[in-house]
Amino acid sequence: MIKYYFSLFSILIVRAAFTGEQDFCESNECNGDFKRKNTFYSNVKHEGEIPLALSHTLLDVLPLDEVDGNFIRVVKRCVFSECQPTPLKAPLTLAAVSLDVLCNVLDVNESVIQNEEFLQCVSGGKLFAGSVPLSHRYGGHQFGYWAGQLGDGRAHLLGEYTNGKGERWELQLKGSGKTPYSRSGDGRAVIRSSVREFLCSEAMHFLGIPTSRALSLVVSEEPVWRDQFYDGNVIQERGAVVLRLAKSWFRIGSLEILTKAGEFDVLRTLLDFVIKEHCRSIATNDPDKYVAFFFREVNETAHLISQWMSVGFAHDFVPNTSDDEGRYNIGYQANVGLFNLQKLLEALQPLLTPDQLSQSQQILKEYPQIYQQRFHELFKAKLGLLGHEAEDSYLIAFFLKLMEDSRADFTMTLRQLSEVSLSQLENGSVPQSMWALSLLSSHEYFAHWVQLYSARLSRQHGDSDEARQHRMQRVNPRYVLRNWMAESAIRKAEKDDFSEVALLQQILMKPFVEQEAAERAGYSSKAPLWAQHLRVSCSS
């Protein structure tokens, strides 16, 4: 079993305005290591304002909840409710900061992290200039069934920022207290889920996969009670807040809930806004703009999920312990993408003419082919193949089947294939130190695959084995955020030791480059024995 995955509940992938039931979602001084002591910045105080002002294009166009207050309720005829974050109880600790986000996305000098005001702003205790906190109304499906109103139950959208590059980013706090959408929840997040979110977001970004970003992680002494595995074992944990960024936090459920409620005027307003702000290639006066929007989302969803699968998602592995039916089995991701797109089309249907609906249904039928084509292109690159040959798909499928049969580690098998010489493969002399590839080489059909692979490479005229290795190492990471690594960092963080959070953050910024610190930590080695018993849940 491959021990690497990104939890569907802790990773927020942002490709375009909508990508499924999840959220749709250099300066030299910023490129150094970010090191800290265990009580990093917990009570430092410096004068001066935070040089970051937010705005709200959303408020100019989209309807707000007419009811005021954070109390739980069914919300109607709006897209957002205005509500204030609930500050975490002191003392607070700034456990992690992404200097890349701070400096290169938000245009803020790293010296600001010394400021007590910064700590307050990124934890919900104080608002950035221009901020109007909002919680978003959306619905969605859980385990295949419509769950009705969900919404931001523990998140507050603070506002948007347009940086010096012209990029528009929406800033959101997660774990910042109750909203009208909290249902029976307390609006809080705990250290373990927040560490995962912070590290996973940044790890995906540096792997080159579209994702939300994480600016900061703040932990507190505030008690939060959780039944982590829903087995009646409620324990006290500590509250934490992540400040995260995305180009948009809208999702398919943002439209679904409006269609389900029959609020078609609000539906049209929101969809027009999304197209104008996030789909600039679609003309706002195009009578078929909704069809063009759906075409875009079908393509983007197929491309995104193929990228997920290219970095180590494993077949036959269920990451969520509450998923008894295996609906979130990682091998189902392409099909789940199709399910999400079907729900998106249902949400769009009230705005489509019969002819436009027929066009959109035909577009949806093309999704499997688009996904397979993109998957094929990515894996050709991972195997170092140039050009196109008719048997490439067979060569790729053959290799993946060998990995599945031998249960070889996905990430390290491909990485070690990029590091071994072709002559070593042909001679059957894979070094034992290449533990993942060595396991794969024990498969009875591995030698046959090598013959096909070697013959395919020999037809790449002008190519060399060294060039193949370098090419493959640029797309096959040596380090990914595995569950056991995150768990190790979490256990230390819960004891106020954030050193491994910092180490992982540093390593995962350069996942394709061999690093001495990562090798010492065992990040390219087999998972430790204790990791075999790890479990995660929706709250992880």
Side-chain angles (χ1 to χ4, degrees):
M1 184 176 297
I2 302 169
K3 295 297 184 182
Y4 163 54
Y5 76 97
F6 287 111
S7 165
L8 299 181
F9 299 95
S10 63
I11 282 292
L12 303 171
I13 304 298
V14 181
R15 174 67 174 184
F18 310 82
T19 56
E21 294 303 327
Q22 301 171 53
D23 296 329
F24 309 136
C25 26
E26 155 179 76
S27 65
N28 291 332
E29 66 184 358
C30 296
N31 294 328
D33 297 345
F34 183 49
K35 300 177 181 178
R36 62 186 66 78
K37 296 181 179 179
N38 293 348
T39 55
F40 185 74
Y41 296 139
S42 58
N43 288 302
V44 290
K45 289 182 171 63
H46 291 268
E47 298 300 324
E49 296 294 319
I50 302 298
L52 183 65
L54 306 182
S55 60
H56 255 309
T57 306
L58 302 164
L59 291 176
D60 298 334
V61 179
L62 303 176
L64 272 179
D65 186 2
E66 294 182 355
V67 180
D68 193 17
N70 285 15
F71 63 93
I72 314 302
R73 59 186 181 275
V74 175
V75 179
K76 299 180 179 180
R77 295 202 58 77
C78 72
V79 178
F80 292 103
S81 298
E82 185 174 344
C83 59
Q84 298 293 316
T86 304
L88 282 172
K89 295 180 181 178
L92 304 178
T93 300
L94 184 58
V97 170
S98 169
L99 294 183
D100 181 64
V101 172
L102 184 73
C103 303
N104 299 324
V105 175
L106 296 178
D107 305 326
V108 176
N109 189 282
E110 67 177 276
S111 63
V112 77
I113 60 181
Q114 299 282 351
N115 196 321
E116 170 68 14
E117 185 183 12
F118 177 80
L119 180 62
Q120 291 299 318
C121 286
V122 299
S123 63
K126 184 176 181 178
L127 298 179
F128 292 106
S131 176
V132 180
L134 305 173
S135 55
H136 177 43
R137 174 194 178 208
Y138 61 85
H141 290 77
Q142 294 178 328
F143 305 106
Y145 299 96
W146 174 248
Q149 176 180 294
L150 299 174
D152 289 334
R154 53 177 176 172
H156 293 79
L157 175 61
L158 300 178
E160 62 202 52
Y161 176 74
T162 302
N163 64 20
K165 304 172 189 174
E167 300 170 336
R168 176 186 175 279
W169 292 88
E170 295 179 3
L171 278 66
Q172 186 190 74
L173 294 174
K174 183 174 181 180
S176 44
K178 285 189 176 182
T179 77
Y181 309 98
S182 296
R183 295 179 288 173
S184 59
D186 57 16
R188 290 303 190 197
V190 294
I191 290 177
R192 55 188 163 82
S193 61
S194 301
V195 167
R196 288 182 188 276
E197 169 125 17
F198 180 86
L199 291 175
C200 284
S201 297
E202 293 304 283
M204 291 292 271
H205 171 73
F206 288 104
L207 284 169
I209 298 178
T211 178
S212 58
R213 301 296 303 276
L215 170 65
S216 58
L217 166 64
V218 176
V219 302
S220 77
E221 298 299 324
E222 181 171 332
V224 178
W225 297 91
R226 287 288 184 271
D227 182 354
Q228 182 179 358
F229 297 112
Y230 313 107
D231 57 4
N233 183 28
V234 179
I235 62 172
Q236 180 177 307
E237 301 186 57
R238 292 162 58 196
V241 168
V242 171
L243 195 156
R244 56 191 193 173
L245 298 80
K247 299 297 180 68
S248 172
W249 291 106
F250 291 126
R251 62 199 76 196
I252 289 174
S254 306
L255 303 179
E256 276 189 290
I257 197 165
L258 300 176
T259 298
K260 294 282 189 181
E263 299 171 12
F264 303 138
D265 55 336
V266 183
L267 173 68
R268 186 181 298 275
T269 297
L270 175 56
L271 187 54
D272 287 347
F273 175 84
V274 167
I275 291 173
K276 179 182 177 182
E277 295 295 326
H278 302 288
C279 309
R280 300 297 176 87
S281 63
I282 302 175
T284 56
N285 60 353
D286 183 348
D288 290 324
K289 61 184 177 183
Y290 299 147
V291 178
F293 168 78
F294 186 67
F295 175 81
R296 181 181 186 272
E297 298 311 318
V298 169
N299 277 270
E300 296 287 2
T301 300
H303 288 180
L304 179 63
I305 295 178
S306 65
Q307 287 179 285
W308 291 353
M309 300 300 287
S310 76
V311 294
F313 282 123
H315 294 289
D316 302 321
F317 177 48
V318 180
N320 178 12
T321 57
S322 60
D323 179 19
D324 296 329
E325 298 179 11
R327 292 187 62 88
Y328 293 100
N329 182 308
I330 219 66
Y332 294 163
Q333 289 309 292
N335 289 335
V336 169
L338 178 60
F339 175 87
N340 289 338
L341 291 167
Q342 290 170 339
K343 299 308 171 186
L344 173 58
L345 183 54
E346 290 175 12
L348 297 178
Q349 187 168 343
L351 306 183
L352 302 176
T353 66
D355 182 60
Q356 289 172 336
L357 177 59
S358 178
Q359 292 180 53
S360 299
Q361 290 170 336
Q362 185 59 42
I363 289 169
L364 186 60
K365 291 179 181 179
E366 298 172 5
Y367 167 81
Q369 180 181 349
I370 299 170
Y371 171 79
Q372 288 294 341
Q373 180 179 349
R374 182 56 175 154
F375 180 92
H376 179 81
E377 292 171 353
L378 289 170
F379 272 83
K380 275 177 54 180
K382 293 178 80 66
L383 291 178
L385 306 183
L386 299 176
H388 171 75
E389 292 193 6
E391 298 301 313
D392 287 347
S393 293
Y394 176 76
L395 189 66
I396 293 169
F398 192 168
F399 185 77
L400 292 174
K401 178 60 176 173
L402 294 180
M403 282 202 292
E404 182 180 7
D405 287 351
S406 61
R407 305 174 79 85
D409 183 89
F410 182 95
T411 299
M412 290 309 297
T413 297
L414 281 160
R415 178 66 185 201
Q416 289 167 1
L417 184 66
S418 75
E419 295 172 343
V420 73
S421 69
L422 187 57
S423 62
Q424 287 176 307
L425 285 174
E426 292 172 332
N427 297 332
S429 55
V430 175
Q432 287 298 311
S433 60
M434 293 187 172
W435 55 274
L437 188 59
S438 179
L439 175 60
L440 189 75
S441 68
S442 65
H443 195 287
E444 60 179 321
Y445 294 119
F446 180 73
H448 179 48
W449 181 85
V450 169
Q451 288 179 346
L452 298 177
Y453 183 55
S454 178
R456 174 65 172 85
L457 294 176
S458 70
R459 294 191 292 273
Q460 297 183 171
H461 300 297
D463 195 22
S464 68
D465 197 36
E466 183 180 27
R468 171 195 67 87
Q469 290 175 317
H470 290 165
R471 195 164 59 245
M472 290 176 64
Q473 288 171 24
R474 290 196 295 268
V475 295
N476 289 303
R478 187 170 178 87
Y479 312 110
V480 292
L481 183 60
R482 300 170 184 268
N483 191 29
W484 73 265
M485 297 176 189
E487 183 67 21
S488 178
I490 287 165
R491 292 178 182 181
K492 292 177 182 177
E494 288 175 335
K495 298 177 181 179
D496 290 326
D497 177 359
F498 306 108
S499 60
E500 191 159 13
V501 174
L503 176 62
L504 281 168
Q505 181 187 3
Q506 174 188 340
I507 298 302
L508 296 170
M509 289 178 69
K510 298 179 179 179
F512 302 98
V513 179
E514 185 170 342
Q515 302 170 57
E516 184 179 343
E519 297 301 306
R520 287 199 305 268
Y523 292 160
S524 64
S525 302
K526 294 181 181 179
L529 292 177
W530 60 264
Q532 295 179 5
H533 306 291
L534 289 180
R535 296 188 300 158
V536 296
S537 68
C538 292
S539 66
S540 296

